[in-house]
Amino acid sequence: MTESRDSISDIWGRRDPYEGAWPARVDEYARAPVERWVQSACVLCSNGCALDIGVAGGGIVGVRGRQNDRVNRGRLGPKGLYGWQANQATDRLTQPLVRRGKRLEPASWDEAMDLVVRKTTEIQAAHTSAAIGFYNTGQLFLEEYWTLSTITDAGLGTPHVDGNTRLCTATASQALMQSFGTDGAPGSYTDFDLTDAILHIGHNPAETQTVQWMRILDRRGGPRPPKLIVIDPRRTATAKEADVHLTPRLGTNLPLLNGILNLMIKAGHVEREFIGAHTVGFEKLEETVGRYPVEKVASITRVPVKMLEQTAEIIGMTPSLVSTVLQGVYQSNQATAAAVQVNNIHLIRGLIGKPGSTVFQMNGQPSAQNARECGANGELVAFRNWNNKEHVADLARVWNVSPEKLPTATPPTHAMKIFRLAEEGSLRMLWIICTNPAVSMPELKRVRKILARENLFVVLNDAFFTETAELADVVLPAAIWGEKTGTFTNADRTVHISYKAIEPPGAARSDLDILLDYARRMDFRDKDGAPLIKWDNAEGAFESWKECSRSRPCDYSGLNYEKLSGGSGIQWPCTDQYPDGCERLYTDGIFNTHADYCEIYGHDLVTGAAITPEEYRKNDPKGRAIIKSAEYVPPVEEPDDDYPFWLTTGRVVYHFHTRTKTARAEELNRAAPSAFAQISFEDAKENDISEGELVEVSSRRGAVQVRARLGDIEPGCVFLPFHFGKTDRENESQAANELTITAWDPVSKQPHFKFGAVKIRKI
C-alpha cells in the first residue's frame, strides 16, 4: 500500500504491528506527475533507506520508498520525503570561485584547478606533502572515498587526512575495533524484528533515524513487544516510549555502565562458558566494575538505585538484546571507554552473532561507513592495520607503489590536530570536501580564525555558498545526490546503489570527477610509470575497490552494479561464500582479533596510550573478543558559580548537519526555522524565563541568542541543536558550537560536544 502523508506533523506514519517480518509500506511524495523513476537511497541519515527518485522535465519532483528493500520496506522519514528539494535550490553554486584579493570571483575550471595544482606543487617543494591536509565528510559515495584515499596515500603521501566523521562516528569505529578487532557492525537491522529487549544509550532514533524508529514502534505494537530501555538526559520521543528511562548526570555514562555491569555480574547474569571460550579480559572487568557498587553509582550519576537495579535485571535476564549507541556517548566524556562497556554487556551475556542479539555502535552520517572502509578518516584502507608491515605492503601491491610511498612514519592525523597544525602554520594547504567546519567544529571563533589565516590555502568542494565558503581561497561547485552515480553503505553494512537522475546545475561536477581531474593534472604515477588511478568513472572505481577489499572483513568482491540494481541493498561481506551478503558477523564466536588480521592493536581506554605490536602479539587474543574496562574520570569542564548549567548539543528531526540541504527544503525549514535553548521548567521559573522568550546562552568561548523552549530536560541542563549557523542578521550566529570546548576523547579523538559549562539569561 502506498501512503502519502504530511510527514512533518505525522513523522512516523501509521503503525503496522508485527512479529517476525516487518510489513512493507510505501511512502511517497511528489510535487508533480512523475515521468520516470530512478533507483537510489536516502543520504540524510545513516539508515540508508532505499527510494526511487521521481523525475520530470529534467528535474526531481518527488521520491517514493522501495518496498522490497531490507532496510526500510518502503518507508521514508521527513528528511527523505522532502530533502530532495535542495537539488532545485536557486542558490546552487554553478561555477568555480577563486579569491582575488579579498573577493571570491567567478573562474573557469581550468583557472581554478590550475591554481590548486600550482599551490600543491609549490607547497610540496617548499614544505613536502606533510604541509597538505584533507578534511572530508561522511556523505560522499564509496567510489569518491576510494579515489580520495588513492590520491592522499599513494599519490601525495600525506598523513593529514580525516573527515567530519571524526565529529560523528570516530568512537563507533574505535569501540568496534577495541572489542572485536575490526570495524563493522556485527548484526543486522532485522535483529530488531526478533529481539526481546532494546537498549538505546545516547541515541534518539525517533529524531535521528526515523525509519528505524518506525520499525521499533511497529515491533512494540506487535504480539511480543520487546522491552525498551533509554538512557538520555532529555525526555525525547524515544524516551517517552521507554519502559525504563534513565537520566544520568552529563559525563557519567561510564560509571553508569560500570554499575550496571557490576550488578549483572553479582547477580550471576553472565554466560561463563561463552566468556571462557570466546573472550579475554573478563577478570579485569570484574575487578574494575566491582569498585562501582550501586550506591556509589547512584551518587555519581544521580540515577536512583531502584532504576539501576531494574535496568540491570532486564539486561541480565533477557534472552536476546539489541543495543544502540550514538552521539550521547560518542561526543561525551570517556566516549570510547563507555561505548566499549556496551560491547561488554553483550560479551558477558554471549548475546552477539545471534538472531535478535547485537550491538550497534551506530553511525550518524549516510556514508560514514565508507569513509572508514576506504581510509578517508585516517584508518588504513579496507580495515588493514597501519602498524602491520604486511598489511601496508599488501595495500601498496593493490596500488602498485612502493610501501615506502605510503605515509606510515607517523600515526594518521585526526581532524582536531589537522586544524591545530594549520593554526601553528605547519599545514599550508587544507582541502575541505562536502562539509562545513565553520559551523560544525567546536569553538567556532578559533576555527574561523584558522580558516582565515593568510598562510593557509583553503580549497572547498560544496554545492552551496556556506559559512566555510566565505573563508575559502578556491570554491569548487559540486554535484550532489541525484546528480551522480555511486554506492554507499549504511550502519548495518547494507550497500545501496544510487543512480544519476538529473544533470547538475551549470558547470558543477561530482567530487569523483573533481578528484580525477586533480589526479590527472598532478600526473600521479605508479612504480611502473602508469597512471596511479586506473579508472575514469564510478563503476570503474567500484571494480577497483572490490579487489582492494578482497579477503578483508569488508569484502565487496561478490558485488557489482548489476547485482545492486533492481532489488534490495546487500550487506557485506558479499563473497563466493556469501553471494547474497552476510547478515551477521561472529556467528561462530570467532572475532577479528588475531594479531595478523586485526585493524588495530588497541589502546588504554583511559589514557589513550597505544598498545605496541609487540605487546599485542605477546598476548594475541587469536580470535577471541577483548573485554576492556576503565575507571571513571570526571569531565574536564563542569558547571560552577559563574557558568552554572551543563550544555549539551544534538539534532532535531527536521534537519541534517548544518542545514546545507535541509534548510532549502520548504517543509523542513518551515518546521524548524531557527535554533532554541531547551531548559527545564524548574530552571525557567528560577530565571524568570517563559516559553518562546529570547535568551542568551554563553560559555567561556562565546554566546548565542535564541528562543527558550521549556520542559522535557533535566534541571541544570541546556540543550541546543547544532544545525544552525549564521542568521539573516549580519554577523549574528545561532551556532551551538560558538559555546563548545576544544577537547576530545583520548582514544577516538572525537570532540566533546555533549558537555560544557554555560550560563543563561533572559534578554
Side-chain angles (χ1 to χ4, degrees), residues 374-511:
C374 296
N377 69 330
E379 305 299 342
L380 193 56
V381 177
F383 300 166
R384 292 176 174 87
N385 189 331
W386 277 111
N387 289 307
N388 186 318
K389 291 182 179 179
E390 292 183 2
H391 286 200
V392 173
D394 186 57
L395 182 59
R397 172 195 61 79
V398 171
W399 280 322
N400 194 31
V401 298
S402 168
E404 290 72 31
K405 175 71 175 177
L406 305 185
T408 61
T410 60
T413 313
H414 62 90
M416 299 301 291
K417 187 175 180 180
I418 287 174
F419 276 80
R420 177 60 177 154
L421 293 174
E423 187 174 45
E424 293 172 345
S426 59
L427 195 79
R428 300 302 183 99
M429 175 177 169
L430 181 60
W431 194 332
I432 300 168
I433 301 174
C434 187
T435 187
N436 188 15
V439 175
S440 60
M441 293 287 281
E443 196 176 346
L444 288 180
K445 182 179 179 180
R446 173 176 175 260
V447 171
R448 288 191 295 267
K449 285 180 66 176
I450 293 169
L451 292 173
R453 286 178 62 93
E454 287 189 9
N455 67 347
L456 180 67
F457 182 70
V458 177
V459 182
L460 174 69
N461 297 11
D462 212 314
F464 300 97
F465 196 78
T466 64
E467 291 87 345
T468 301
E470 295 177 12
L471 302 168
D473 297 291
V474 176
V475 179
L476 303 176
I480 57 177
W481 168 92
E483 300 164 358
K484 58 185 180 179
T485 293
T487 59
F488 66 100
T489 307
N490 78 344
D492 86 333
R493 298 175 284 107
T494 300
V495 184
H496 285 109
I497 192 163
S498 177
Y499 280 108
K500 181 178 179 178
I502 62 171
E503 292 296 325
R509 296 178 179 176
S510 72
D511 294 284

Side-chain angles (χ1 to χ4, degrees), residues 30-35 55-56 61:
R31 284 190 160 183
V34 173
E35 295 172 1
V55 179
V61 296

Side-chain angles (χ1 to χ4, degrees), residues 254-283:
L254 180 62
L256 176 79
L257 291 162
N258 279 352
I260 291 170
L261 283 160
N262 184 47
L263 285 167
M264 292 169 61
I265 293 170
K266 296 291 186 188
H269 297 320
V270 295
E271 298 296 324
R272 293 193 178 272
E273 185 176 343
F274 182 90
I275 291 168
H278 301 291
T279 73
V280 296
F282 176 75
E283 294 78 10

Side-chain angles (χ1 to χ4, degrees), residues 542-561:
F542 187 84
E543 290 299 313
S544 173
W545 163 252
K546 282 168 51 178
E547 292 309 306
C548 179
S549 73
R550 188 181 295 275
S551 300
R552 292 305 299 164
C554 53
D555 193 329
Y556 283 65
S557 60
L559 288 171
N560 55 51
Y561 275 22

Side-chain angles (χ1 to χ4, degrees), residues 168-177 183 325 330 339 361-363 372 748 750:
C168 181
T169 61
T171 301
S173 57
Q174 276 294 333
L176 293 167
M177 291 187 285
D183 197 349
V325 188
Y330 300 161
Q361 299 291 347
M362 192 63 74
N363 297 341
R372 285 146 49 181
S748 68
Q750 185 159 351

